[in-house]
Amino acid sequence: KKYFPIFVLPTLVAFAFAFIIPFVQGIYLSFCEFTTVDNATFVGFKNYIKAFESKQGFLSAFGFTAAFTVISVITINLIAFAIALLLTRKIKGTNIFRTIFFMPNLIGGIVLGYIWQLIFDGILQQYETALKLNEWYGFFGLVILVAWQQIGYMMIIYIAGIQNIPGELIEAAKKEKLKKKEDRWAYLDKRDEEKAARKEEKRKQKERKRKRKALEGIAKQAEKDADTYNRYKEQFEKEKARAEAKAKAKAEAAAKR
């Protein structure tokens, strides 16, 4: 802590001269009309008003810049993170792959722009067009160029972050994942059991309903049979009584004779 300011001071001075002072000067020059930095004339918000009034100027450039920022940042980070995950899986030749992916970041932007312009123009020439004839060709060409250059750099950052994750945390995450997987299988088994139980209960209910209907049918048939029996019995009793009465009448008639 005692010598901290001594070590920080050179970096702070370099940062101030290289970034802070130019940044503040750039803000001041945005309120001026100038051809060089030495002959700037303060004009207030005139430059900003003129920029916003120009539909084909500032607003168009701002839209392209915003779209480029979103697409390039998402593309670079997704691809870099995917490559970092692959290169931390303890596969053979990871150091070679890291070097290959990082090499484009060592090439200057001007050289990369010239090389990729030749590549894109060579491809588009087959379709009788060129990179500068369509703003969207230039837009996506720039996205590809920046992604190709920056993916290796972001890959190194992600690799460093992944390798610094404590082993205990990774082990705990694996156990938690395994536990969730077991809980999910247990939940699925329980759901299947409950589903089977509901299905069996429905089957039993249908069976009880069928038996109840069958018993009701048997009871109704028994009632019909009992009615039929009683009706035939009653007829039989009547016929028997009638026959006995005839026999008695014949016997009495024979006795009189």
Side-chain angles (χ1 to χ4, degrees):
K1 293 181 179 180
K2 182 178 179 181
Y3 298 101
F4 179 75
I6 299 175
F7 290 104
V8 172
L9 185 60
T11 303
L12 185 61
V13 172
F15 181 76
F17 277 101
F19 293 98
I20 297 178
I21 294 176
F23 178 73
V24 175
Q25 189 176 18
I27 294 176
Y28 169 72
L29 290 175
S30 68
F31 294 96
C32 300
E33 283 187 358
F34 63 94
T35 54
T36 61
V37 178
D38 296 331
N39 64 348
T41 303
F42 186 81
V43 294
F45 289 95
K46 180 180 178 181
N47 294 332
Y48 289 95
I49 295 172
K50 184 177 180 181
F52 280 101
E53 287 178 348
S54 176
K55 294 183 180 180
Q56 298 299 325
F58 172 77
L59 295 178
S60 177
F62 180 80
F64 274 105
T65 303
F68 166 77
T69 302
V70 173
I71 295 174
S72 61
V73 168
I74 294 175
T75 303
I76 291 170
N77 282 276
L78 286 178
I79 298 177
F81 185 71
I83 295 174
L85 284 178
L86 291 175
L87 295 182
T88 51
R89 297 293 183 183
K90 296 180 180 180
I91 60 177
K92 294 182 179 180
T94 54
N95 292 330
I96 297 175
F97 286 114
R98 292 180 191 179
T99 303
I100 293 173
F101 283 120
F102 187 74
M103 282 179 63
N105 191 258
L106 304 176
I107 305 174
I110 297 176
V111 177
L112 279 179
Y114 183 72
I115 293 173
W116 279 95
Q117 182 180 5
L118 293 176
I119 294 173
F120 287 132
D121 282 337
I123 296 172
L124 294 174
Q125 189 176 7
Q126 304 297 324
Y127 302 95
E128 297 181 355
T129 184
L131 194 66
K132 60 185 177 182
L133 297 180
N134 190 306
E135 65 270 18
W136 288 107
Y137 293 158
F139 174 80
F140 286 107
L142 187 60
V143 171
I144 294 172
L145 186 154
V146 173
W148 187 75
Q149 183 186 30
Q150 297 297 324
I151 283 173
Y153 177 78
M154 294 303 301
M155 175 200 69
I156 296 297
I157 294 176
Y158 281 124
I159 288 175
I162 293 171
Q163 290 178 340
N164 285 328
I165 298 175
E168 298 83 3
L169 184 61
I170 296 175
E171 189 67 23
K174 289 181 179 179
K175 289 181 180 179
E176 184 67 22
K177 182 179 179 181
L178 182 61
K179 185 177 181 300
K180 288 183 178 179
K181 189 175 181 179
E182 291 176 352
D183 291 342
R184 176 170 176 80
W185 282 112
Y187 167 75
L188 293 175
D189 291 340
K190 185 178 179 181
R191 187 185 66 178
D192 292 340
E193 290 176 359
E194 291 177 352
K195 187 176 181 180
R198 289 195 298 269
K199 188 175 180 180
E200 181 65 19
E201 183 63 26
K202 288 182 179 179
R203 187 190 67 79
K204 289 181 178 179
Q205 288 179 358
K206 288 182 179 179
E207 184 67 19
R208 286 195 294 267
K209 189 175 181 180
R210 185 186 64 79
K211 288 181 178 180
R212 186 167 60 250
K213 286 184 177 180
L215 290 174
E216 290 176 354
I218 293 172
K220 289 180 179 179
Q221 186 65 36
E223 289 178 359
K224 290 181 180 179
D225 293 342
D227 292 340
T228 303
Y229 170 77
N230 291 330
R231 188 168 59 252
Y232 281 118
K233 183 179 179 181
E234 191 175 330
Q235 290 179 357
F236 174 76
E237 292 293 336
K238 289 180 179 180
E239 292 293 333
K240 183 179 178 182
R242 198 178 293 119
E244 289 177 352
K246 287 183 178 179
K248 187 177 180 180
K250 286 182 179 181
E252 290 177 353
K256 289 179 180 181
R257 282 189 291 222

